[in-house]
Amino acid sequence: MADYDIAVIGLGVMGRNLALNLERNGYGVIGFDLSREKREDFTRNTEGKKALTASSLRELSDNLKTPRKALLLVPAGDAVDSVIQDLLSVFDKNDIIIDGGNSFFKDTGRRFDEVEAAGFRFIGTGVSGGEEGALWGPAIMPGGSEGAWKEVAAMLQAISAKADDGEPCCQWIGKGGAGHFVKMVHNGIEYGDMQMICEAYYLMDQALGMKPREMHEVFAEWNDGELNSYLIEITGHILANTDEETGKPMVDVILDTAGQKGTGKWTSQIALDLGIPAPTIAEAVFARTLSAVKEERVKASEILSGPERLAEGQDKDTMVDLIRRALYASKICSYAQGFQMMRAASEEFGFNLDFGSIASIWRAGCIIRAGFLNDIKAAFDKNPELDNLLLDSYFSKAVMDNQEAWRKVVAFAVQQGIPVPAFSSALSYYDSYRSGRLPANLLQAQRDFFGAHTYERIDRPRKEFFHTEWKTF
């Protein structure tokens, strides 16, 4: 008897936890994975629950209520296409396929077109929150078939995180690949957030000589203020942990090479394609890339010298407060870049994104959840056509109030020879964005000199182009 509401395909940690979340919220779940070990693990974890472990997609299909619904949590790329094709052979027209993995948004747009053309329905949804979020409530960003969304909305909103006002952190994003695009930008902002926090930690460690336990107290205090966020919170917890083998602070025994799964790189690449400046996100990606060449950096450290670090004379409490303020200002610029990028994509791809709604979704459940997302939501609710967060009165005042501290921190880091690529790129972005005139006039002259690429003039209407036969002297 077809008695189950939804199937979850891919029973890794995320898939298993989402399945358990669905069952806990009253939905009958079928689990399937090609791995027998994962199927057996799912069976053990769902004993006594309204859940079935299927041994084949045919068995899965036969036991689902119609229209059938399947949520895919498989690795992005060819695996998603393969599972979709297999499902189309056992599902009926009008059934719903949901890709909940980290798929590239253009792949999602293609899959949406292909699945819809075959008479089925397709949703590509971003899911953020990690293992814990998947189990207890992630932020969910669905896009694709709006008709299918209406049939699964109650289910997805039931399992999503809830903001402080009770609103589910799951709302319709838009057509095609809109959901996965927004999740990609979320991850790009996440890269920036993490790098900036690491720079704050590095300054306290390298320039102020602070110990992890002392920094734990700082981050705990910061989490009670305007920097309140999941990433600030867990950073405080990390800095308080001790390695059981050595007794040293856990953070001090971890090798300084960072991994990445590609979504930050995608964000930077698409920003370039859209012609949108997102330097802070890009610098965060490059910082991870540079961290990976550990052996080269060790060699270079024996050859290349920097300035002598003179931390003496620095008031620690004053400097920590300056770092806090620099982190907050940099964070605002990073989010401004992400939302500016989403605005450009909304126009380019016809997503018709609601930026206030997106900020609302990110308030709980996801990795970048932070208190100031309420302020971002308020900014876009007040002006849905806002070009840039920096032009909102709340955020412009916040950045201007903190810019003196921000500049002191970046200058201090440069003098000390301590790299702060995210802090400094965010500051350069701010200074560039607020400049009515930049040196691109000389750049255009150079391009016209060597390549006859033409230029516009300050005394002529825009979009009129000119060329000079340049003289040499």
Side-chain angles (χ1 to χ4, degrees):
M1 177 181 177
D3 194 33
Y4 292 87
D5 300 291
I6 188 168
V8 176
I9 299 174
L11 298 175
V13 174
M14 285 293 290
R16 183 194 65 202
N17 283 2
L18 281 169
L20 292 170
N21 190 345
L22 284 159
E23 196 280 336
R24 189 178 64 252
N25 279 280
Y27 297 97
V29 184
I30 302 175
F32 175 76
D33 197 288
L34 291 175
S35 164
R36 187 175 72 176
E37 182 180 350
K38 288 180 180 178
R39 292 198 303 270
E40 291 173 349
D41 176 71
F42 184 72
T43 300
R44 285 192 298 270
N45 276 279
T46 56
E47 186 176 354
K49 303 179 186 296
K50 189 175 182 182
L52 170 71
T53 306
S55 59
S56 69
L57 290 181
R58 171 57 65 187
E59 181 185 1
L60 176 151
S61 177
D62 289 344
N63 283 278
L64 282 173
K65 297 175 184 176
T66 57
R68 297 173 182 85
K69 304 170 187 70
L71 172 61
L72 278 57
L73 272 300
V74 299
D78 293 342
V80 178
D81 289 309
S82 177
V83 174
I84 288 172
Q85 290 306 310
D86 289 343
L87 280 174
L88 295 183
S89 68
V90 296
F91 273 15
D92 292 330
K93 300 293 177 65
N94 212 40
D95 288 347
I96 299 169
I97 298 172
I98 308 168
D99 176 16
N102 266 335
S103 290
F104 185 50
F105 78 100
K106 290 187 177 180
D107 288 339
T108 300
R110 169 182 58 79
R111 289 168 186 143
F112 168 77
D113 291 339
E114 293 171 354
V115 171
E116 296 278 319
F120 301 81
R121 292 180 288 174
F122 186 77
I123 290 174
T125 185
V127 179
S128 177
E131 299 176 20
E132 183 179 352
L135 183 59
W136 298 109
I140 304 176
M141 296 151 259
S145 168
E146 192 164 7
W149 157 246
K150 292 174 181 177
E151 296 202 33
V152 301
M155 182 184 299
L156 294 182
Q157 289 182 334
I159 68 169
S160 73
K162 309 299 183 294
D164 288 342
D165 59 6
E167 186 176 351
C169 294
C170 172
Q171 302 294 337
W172 178 244
I173 299 295
K175 69 177 186 179
H180 276 134
F181 183 87
V182 169
K183 174 56 164 46
M184 178 192 74
V185 174
H186 164 284
N187 284 21
I189 292 172
E190 177 187 314
Y191 272 56
D193 263 2
M194 294 173 73
Q195 177 62 27
M196 289 184 288
I197 291 170
C198 289
E199 290 174 15
Y201 151 79
Y202 199 46
L203 283 165
M204 286 186 274
D205 174 58
Q206 295 289 302
L208 303 180
M210 295 173 66
K211 301 301 181 185
R213 175 60 70 168
E214 190 178 2
M215 287 186 271
H216 155 74
E217 300 293 341
V218 169
F219 278 94
E221 182 180 338
W222 285 0
N223 198 46
D224 288 333
E226 76 274 11
L227 286 171
N228 166 259
S229 69
Y230 173 71
L231 286 170
I232 291 288
E233 178 187 1
I234 68 168
T235 300
H237 295 322
I238 289 167
L239 291 166
N241 271 256
T242 302
D243 177 39
E244 293 181 359
E245 291 184 26
T246 64
K248 295 179 180 178
M250 194 68 226
V251 71
D252 288 345
V253 302
I254 297 175
L255 190 68
D256 58 317
T257 59
Q260 54 183 309
K261 292 187 176 180
T263 47
K265 180 176 71 174
W266 289 347
T267 309
S268 300
Q269 290 172 331
I270 298 303
L272 288 170
D273 290 344
L274 292 169
I276 296 299
T280 307
I281 295 170
E283 285 292 354
V285 176
F286 286 132
R288 294 195 188 192
T289 305
L290 188 54
S291 79
V293 293
K294 172 69 175 179
E295 289 73 19
E296 283 186 47
R297 289 189 291 110
V298 170
K299 288 181 184 177
S301 70
E302 298 168 354
I303 299 170
L304 305 175
S305 64
E308 183 179 353
R309 292 181 180 170
L310 302 172
E312 293 80 2
Q314 293 293 331
D315 181 79
K316 186 183 296 184
D317 291 340
T318 299
M319 198 66 205
V320 166
D321 189 60
L322 292 176
I323 294 169
R324 173 188 63 80
R325 296 174 68 183
L327 176 57
Y328 184 51
S330 298
K331 182 183 180 79
I332 291 170
C333 285
S334 181
Y335 278 70
Q337 293 164 32
F339 275 89
Q340 196 175 27
M341 183 177 169
M342 288 191 288
R343 176 170 294 285
S346 185
E347 296 174 2
E348 177 75 15
F349 304 115
F351 289 155
N352 194 29
L353 300 178
D354 182 330
F355 307 110
S357 177
I358 292 167
S360 180
I361 292 169
W362 290 348
R363 289 182 298 165
C366 68
I367 302 301
I368 66 169
R369 59 186 183 266
F372 92 145
L373 280 158
N374 285 304
D375 301 312
I376 295 179
K377 180 181 184 300
F380 284 109
D381 285 348
K382 181 172 63 176
N383 180 11
E385 303 303 317
L386 182 66
D387 290 324
N388 190 301
L389 277 179
L390 292 174
L391 302 179
D392 174 75
S393 58
Y394 176 88
F395 288 107
S396 61
K397 183 178 186 304
V399 173
M400 289 187 290
D401 286 350
N402 288 292
Q403 69 168 311
E404 183 180 355
W406 194 8
R407 296 181 191 283
K408 285 181 178 178
V409 168
V410 171
F412 174 73
V414 171
Q415 291 169 344
Q416 296 284 302
I418 297 173
V420 286
F423 277 9
S424 56
S425 71
L427 180 57
S428 291
Y429 171 82
Y430 172 72
D431 282 337
S432 296
Y433 191 68
R434 68 175 185 82
S435 296
R437 181 176 173 84
L438 290 169
N441 53 322
L442 177 58
L443 191 149
Q444 280 301 97
Q446 292 169 334
R447 294 180 72 241
D448 191 58
F449 190 109
F450 66 68
H453 291 295
T454 73
Y455 52 84
E456 296 174 87
R457 293 177 58 97
I458 61 172
D459 54 359
R460 297 287 191 277
R462 293 297 307 268
K463 306 303 180 184
E464 287 188 19
F465 294 92
F466 301 87
H467 168 63
T468 289
E469 293 297 330
W470 297 90
K471 299 176 183 178
T472 57
F473 298 91

